[in-house]
Amino acid sequence: MLVAGVLSGTSVDGIDVAVAELRADGPELVLTPLGYREVPYPPELATRLLAALPPNPSSAEELTKLDTGVGQAFADAVGRCLDELGGADLVCSLGQTVFHWVAEGRVHGTLQLGQPAWIAERTGLPVVSDLRTRDVAAGGHGAPLAGTMDALWLADLAERSAAPAAALNIGGIANLTVVEPGGAVLAYDTGPGNALLDLAAARVTGGARRQDVDGAIAASGTCRDDLLARLLDEPYYRAAPPKSTGKELFHAGYLAAATDGVAVSDPDLLATLTELTAVTIADAARSHGVRTIVASGGGVRNPVLMAALARRLPDAAVSASDDLGMPGDAKEAYLTAILGWLTWHGLPANRPDATGARGPRLLGSITPGATPLVLPPPRLVPITRLRVERVTGGRNRPEGAAAD
């Protein structure tokens, strides 16, 4: 089955679309990456989305307009990608998160924008969407859903090394999935990945930049230990998992309050925030005895951040997900495709040991495409492993593969 996964991260820096061939081989799910595109948001839409994020106020009118605008932008991105790559059977959308309602360690609700009907109308394909809410309704955090993919993908690696292996994604928020040799999984958000760094880059450049590209500003500065200690006093870091966070906590007002009364140069601010991300990730990895880390996400392209992480984890091997055949920039889009495939085949797509839900749940809602909705019979064999195969011989399905 060919599945397109689409999402935009909390950095609001573009729309990611990936197309995968997914087929079941007994209890193993085989993923063949077929192509990936990152499509920029229309500039005005991106600006309005960022303006609607906490702690800024918004309105029902503006959220409705953004919901429609994101749906249309996703539809255009998926349509263009499928036109280039040759089509798909199903689309799965994680949407654009604008609010994650966390209070006293519990998630009470979550909001992702991007009406799936626009994707269905543009492509004619059925669309799986709204993937987080069911897990939240079952007492979970609705995040990080990356734990579902990582548990399947790293199971063999953890068993071979006889030690916990971890998948790390550094987006706007950093999340870690720890896979034990026996199959137990723990996944949670460690804290701000690029969120505070992006805000600081915009602040010190007067809005000229939304990112510290290649860590260039941070590289010219020095970490301020006094400011780092103040930042590390954030209670979230001491909370026990499962836990999740987002820009409803790590926003511009948070950064302003954290640096209030501290005279710090622009380069030193970026250097300190880079160290904050590295420290919080490293502390989490060490607490679980992780010796192998497979990293992905935009933060992997920041050499200053990756050097700080390596310095903080001298006993751990840190590699890029590309080294295991999974394109790092596209990993979350391929994750989205997997979640859609699981839902389509009647299989739970959450990991209760990662999100804290009361049990496994079927996730999402399905919007029909241009033809009547016909689902396959639910699979009776659970999926326990993920194998990533490299593309050989072009865009078509591997020889002998069924459209499962």
Side-chain angles (χ1 to χ4, degrees), residues 99-111:
F99 192 72
H100 203 55
W101 179 15
V102 184
E104 298 179 352
R106 286 189 57 214
V107 173
H108 298 269
T110 185
L111 179 61

Side-chain angles (χ1 to χ4, degrees), residues 39-83:
V39 180
Y41 262 122
E44 180 190 0
L45 180 58
T47 299
R48 288 169 56 202
L49 278 168
L50 290 169
L53 296 179
N56 302 324
S58 191
S59 66
E61 177 184 358
E62 180 64 2
L63 288 176
T64 300
K65 291 178 177 179
L66 289 174
D67 195 25
T68 299
V70 173
Q72 292 171 335
F74 274 35
D76 181 63
V78 173
R80 288 164 55 187
C81 187
L82 295 184
D83 289 345

Side-chain angles (χ1 to χ4, degrees), residues 143-156 158-159 164-167 175-188 241-243 288 290 349-357 383-385:
L145 293 179
T148 300
M149 173 181 174
D150 296 334
L152 302 173
W153 186 38
L154 298 185
D156 287 339
E159 288 182 4
N175 58 69
L176 189 75
T177 303
V178 180
V179 182
E180 299 282 350
V185 172
L186 184 67
Y188 58 96
K243 59 181 179 177
H288 303 298
V290 170
N350 67 334
R351 287 286 308 212
D353 45 2
T355 67
I383 298 296
T384 60
R385 292 289 191 276

Side-chain angles (χ1 to χ4, degrees), residues 74-173:
F74 274 35
D76 181 63
V78 173
R80 288 164 55 187
C81 187
L82 295 184
D83 289 345
E84 293 177 21
L85 297 175
D89 304 311
L90 176 70
V91 179
C92 184
S93 173
L94 260 178
Q96 174 68 67
T97 298
V98 292
F99 192 72
H100 203 55
W101 179 15
V102 184
E104 298 179 352
R106 286 189 57 214
V107 173
H108 298 269
T110 185
L111 179 61
Q112 286 74 47
L113 300 183
Q115 276 295 319
W118 294 100
I119 303 174
E121 191 68 22
R122 169 66 170 82
T123 65
L125 299 175
V127 182
V128 178
S129 63
D130 193 21
L131 289 149
R132 299 187 189 276
T133 305
R134 182 62 186 278
D135 185 85
V136 171
H141 279 253
L145 293 179
T148 300
M149 173 181 174
D150 296 334
L152 302 173
W153 186 38
L154 298 185
D156 287 339
L157 178 61
E159 288 182 4
R160 287 198 306 270
S161 61
L168 168 67
N169 184 74
I170 311 176
I173 300 298

Side-chain angles (χ1 to χ4, degrees), residues 31 58 82 111 130 147 194 206 247 259 271 274 311 353:
L31 182 151
S58 191
L82 295 184
L111 179 61
D130 193 21
N194 300 313
K247 287 190 173 180
T259 56
T274 300
R311 187 175 65 252
D353 45 2

Side-chain angles (χ1 to χ4, degrees), residues 1-2 19-23 32-35 85-87 389-402:
M1 184 178 197
L2 304 181
V19 180
E21 157 70 30
L22 289 163
R23 59 186 174 89
T32 305
L34 297 178
L85 297 175
E389 286 190 343
R390 298 180 188 276
V391 175
T392 57
R395 170 69 168 81
N396 296 325
R397 291 183 174 92
E399 184 179 353

